[in-house]
Amino acid sequence: MKRLLLLLAALFSLMATQAQSYIYKGNSTYTGDIIYTWDGRHLFTGKSTSPKDILLTYNGKQVFKGNSTYASDILYSWSSNKVYKGQSSYTSDILYNYDGRHIYSGNSTYSNDILYTLVGKYIYSGRSTYSANIIYTTSAPIPVPILINIL
């Protein structure tokens, strides 16, 4: 019985890690409008999950170019809801600030510096939440450091 429970737990864990999220163009959820696939670690081109189509790798703290995890391939670092250039943690290297709803330019929280608004499965241009301003629709949450790379 213990083995069966362990096997079931392992299967559920594997299924959870294999779940894919899609990023659709605009206000769409049509398969033909999938422009990126997110597997929880890698961002792929289109609906692909082939290693050759990996655009970015994310470890929870850094975004790497392609399928790399080398320090020399770090594009962004994520700390305290801020996206930093490369491996930096200097205030002067903050590229974006996230307050749980808005992505701001640099370290700002000024409303005129809002670049994008994230509400549910929608990503809007600027501070608008009008359907005409939807840039992307996601099938599940995508980490902000990944989103900023495609915005």
Side-chain angles (χ1 to χ4, degrees):
M1 185 59 132
K2 267 187 180 178
R3 287 185 184 154
L4 178 61
L5 289 175
L6 285 173
L7 179 62
L8 287 174
L11 285 173
F12 283 120
S13 175
L14 181 63
M15 287 175 17
T17 60
Q18 296 298 319
Q20 296 169 355
S21 303
Y22 299 110
I23 301 172
Y24 301 87
K25 180 176 58 175
N27 187 12
S28 173
T29 55
Y30 293 111
T31 304
D33 288 332
I34 294 172
I35 52 177
Y36 300 104
T37 299
W38 171 249
D39 73 356
R41 181 168 167 80
H42 300 102
L43 183 72
F44 299 86
T45 301
K47 197 173 175 190
S48 175
T49 55
S50 169
K52 69 178 178 68
D53 292 326
I54 295 173
L55 297 172
L56 303 170
T57 299
Y58 182 59
N59 68 4
K61 293 184 179 184
Q62 286 105 11
V63 176
F64 299 86
K65 184 172 30 174
N67 196 20
S68 176
T69 55
Y70 293 116
S72 61
D73 289 330
I74 295 174
L75 299 172
Y76 308 109
S77 296
W78 173 251
S79 178
S80 302
N81 286 345
K82 296 177 184 352
V83 177
Y84 295 83
K85 180 172 57 173
Q87 297 182 63
S88 179
S89 59
Y90 294 115
T91 304
S92 60
D93 288 331
I94 295 173
L95 299 172
Y96 304 96
N97 186 19
Y98 178 62
D99 69 1
R101 181 180 172 96
H102 301 104
I103 297 174
Y104 298 84
S105 177
N107 196 25
S108 177
T109 56
Y110 184 58
S111 64
N112 283 345
D113 291 332
I114 294 172
L115 300 173
Y116 307 101
T117 301
L118 283 61
V119 178
K121 63 183 184 174
Y122 301 110
I123 301 159
Y124 300 86
S125 176
R127 57 183 171 176
S128 169
T129 55
Y130 293 113
S131 61
N133 292 328
I134 295 172
I135 301 170
Y136 297 117
T137 301
T138 62
S139 62
I142 310 291
V144 170
I146 294 298
L147 289 176
I148 63 103
N149 197 72
I150 63 172
L151 292 170

